[in-house]
Amino acid sequence: MATETGPVAAPGKGGDGDASKIIRFEKVVKRFGDNVVLRELDFDVSPGERVALIGPSGSGKTTILRLLMTLEKLNGGVIWVSGDPLSHMRKGDQLVTADEKHLRQVRQTIGMVFQQFNLFPNMNVLRNVTEAPIHVKGVARDEAETKARDLLNLVDLGDKYDAHPSQLSGGQQQRVAIARALAMEPKILLLDEVTSALDPELVAGVLDVLREIANTTDITMLFVTHEMRFARDVSHRVLMFDQGQIVESGPPDQIFSNPQEQRTRDFLHAIIEER
Amino acid sequence: MSVVLQSFPLLLQGLILTLEITAGGAVLALVLAFLAGLAGTARSRILRAVSRVYVEFFRGSSALVLMFWFFFALPLIGFRFEAVAAAIIALGLNVGAYGGEVVRGAILSIPPAQYEATIALNMSPALRMRRVILPQAWASMLPPFGNLLIELLKATAVAALITINELTFVGQQQRAATGESLPIYTTVLFMYFVVAQVLIFGMRRLELRTARSLGRAPAARRGRRPALAGVGDGGGSGGVG
Ligand SMILES: Nc1ncnc2c1ncn2[C@@H]1O[C@H](COP(=O)(O)OP(=O)(O)OP(=O)(O)O)[C@@H](O)[C@H]1O
Ligand SMILES: [Mg+2]
């Protein structure tokens, strides 16, 4: 996960070492070929904050989460997580492209839930949840299993420990994926349209679980969603994106009841029409 | 019929040697296939190049000539092999090259989403390969491995040419001794056939079990291509034998 930019001078202002912000995007540039998806994007997130990312298709929401999960390389700027550069590492007063070791280090605090669940089909439900705690974190098997059972109970799958992922509904699989991510005790949880692959009747179950997690933990959450009701209930702040830029940002009441920007109004309108 | 009865114990001994060479070749080929397949998907360019060279060289060389080389040529520069060892090494190297392509293809066929899930769980590349990618890839390796195993069984007949008294060799001897070509060769054919059927049956059981453990519907028996047809990436059986 290198950048094309090579070494850059560590920017002195703020970002560097500023641990009061758990996430900080600083002039982040992301291109796919000639397609500039993010141009010098700046924003930050406080610890425990829950931020909803909304905006039209192709506006770069998924890309932001994937950059944070180190699934994509950035082409410019720096992403800071708890004051540490995510895609770079310090070398003297320079920031150089991160190596695998640094990436393993920074990934410890971040978890992600995907639109398509991405459970491991070669493991049953319990093993999906315990695999990483045991083999990545070195948690004892008993302890990992006890914790996994608690988490599976939390996501309402107390009777499915031994089931195979293929025997579960989409909604159930997604709840396993949420438990699996939580088992690694991330400080930051990224959720990319986690209900949009689900049949309508299964959406509520997954959203209820996320509401519960939001209410009972202080995990920082960044979620991309088209469920405006959910975004309004759960988020502290909404970021409206268009073409890789933040068009409008504010508390959910303001964004949903009294949007200032025409593009936000158009987008919310289109979403409501869709329903 | 009495000819067959007389020759039968000897043919059976030949068959046992055939099975031994098949088993030895299969184990060697399996190990080489995994090494070549893993190296072929490694991040290191050097590893990928080494894998490429191995696969291309041994896929493109005849198992028979390889065997001659190990048995007749290498001793000239001081490395002496038992005939059976030479046969096993030659066949293992050859079939392992095909197997390497099978392993590489199977690893590459695992959806990127599975890799991404392991990154989100902070797994190391080794853990990801061992616990997530290979167990899934194994399912798609088994059908082509089954074909290769049958190829290997049939290819062991070339060992007759370095005087190993495996099944084909014993068959020839018995024919020469008795002059009864028809019953002797019919028996030999039948023995190969029975062994092949047992191997095919075993591989299918393994395929089914593996598919089921991945939650895949036990694939309705697709019309299995004859063992002679494409192995690996469609390169026929030309390289073997
Ligand atoms: N792997 C890729 N290769 C090339 N282009 C990509 C890739 N991933 C994303 N893009 C492009 O980047 C832009 C932003 O995509 P992104 O997936 O971040 O949008 P999004 O806001 O999540 O949209 P959606 O609501 O449809 O999920 C799009 O123009 C998309 O075509
Ligand atoms: Mg998206």
Side-chain angles (χ1 to χ4, degrees), chain A residues 185-251:
Chain A
E185 304 183 322
K187 289 201 194 117
I188 301 168
L189 187 60
L190 309 172
L191 302 142
D192 188 12
E193 296 196 41
V194 295
T195 57
S196 56
L198 301 180
D199 292 337
E201 73 271 18
L202 301 177
V203 169
V206 172
L207 294 184
D208 285 347
V209 162
L210 292 176
R211 278 197 177 88
E212 167 100 10
I213 292 163
N215 290 333
T216 57
T217 70
D218 56 2
I219 297 179
T220 305
M221 285 164 73
L222 253 69
F223 51 92
V224 177
T225 186
H226 291 301
E227 301 291 335
M228 294 305 149
R229 181 60 188 276
F230 172 74
R232 187 169 194 154
D233 292 349
V234 168
S235 71
H236 299 113
R237 185 154 56 108
V238 178
L239 300 181
M240 162 72 196
F241 280 87
D242 194 15
Q243 300 180 352
Q245 312 239 285
I246 296 172
V247 175
E248 188 169 356
S249 126

Side-chain angles (χ1 to χ4, degrees), chain A residues 98-171:
Chain A
D99 58 14
E100 177 74 19
K101 192 164 153 241
H102 179 84
L103 290 173
R104 296 284 317 282
Q105 177 81 24
V106 292
R107 280 178 200 145
Q108 279 177 12
T109 52
I110 309 176
M112 183 161 181
V113 181
F114 300 88
Q115 197 171 337
Q116 297 292 345
F117 338 128
N118 302 356
L119 294 182
F120 302 131
N122 55 316
M123 302 175 194
N124 69 13
V125 165
L126 191 68
R127 284 264 310 285
N128 261 279
V129 180
T130 58
E131 184 69 12
I134 292 174
H135 295 286
V136 176
K137 283 184 135 185
V139 177
R141 184 170 291 272
D142 297 359
E143 199 183 317
E145 289 186 354
T146 307
K147 173 116 190 283
R149 290 202 170 85
D150 289 348
L151 284 167
L152 287 168
N153 292 340
L154 173 77
V155 299
D156 231 1
L157 289 172
D159 52 344
K160 298 288 185 194
Y161 306 145
D162 298 327
H164 190 275
S166 63
Q167 297 166 333
L168 302 183
S169 74

Side-chain angles (χ1 to χ4, degrees), chain A residues 54-56 238-242 246-249 254-256 258-271:
Chain A
I54 65 170
V238 178
L239 300 181
M240 162 72 196
F241 280 87
D242 194 15
I246 296 172
V247 175
E248 188 169 356
S249 126
Q254 181 200 313
I255 299 284
F256 292 118
N258 187 19
Q260 304 296 305
E261 296 290 328
Q262 188 59 39
R263 273 189 284 178
T264 312
R265 281 196 285 272
D266 292 346
F267 171 73
L268 292 173
H269 224 84
I271 288 269

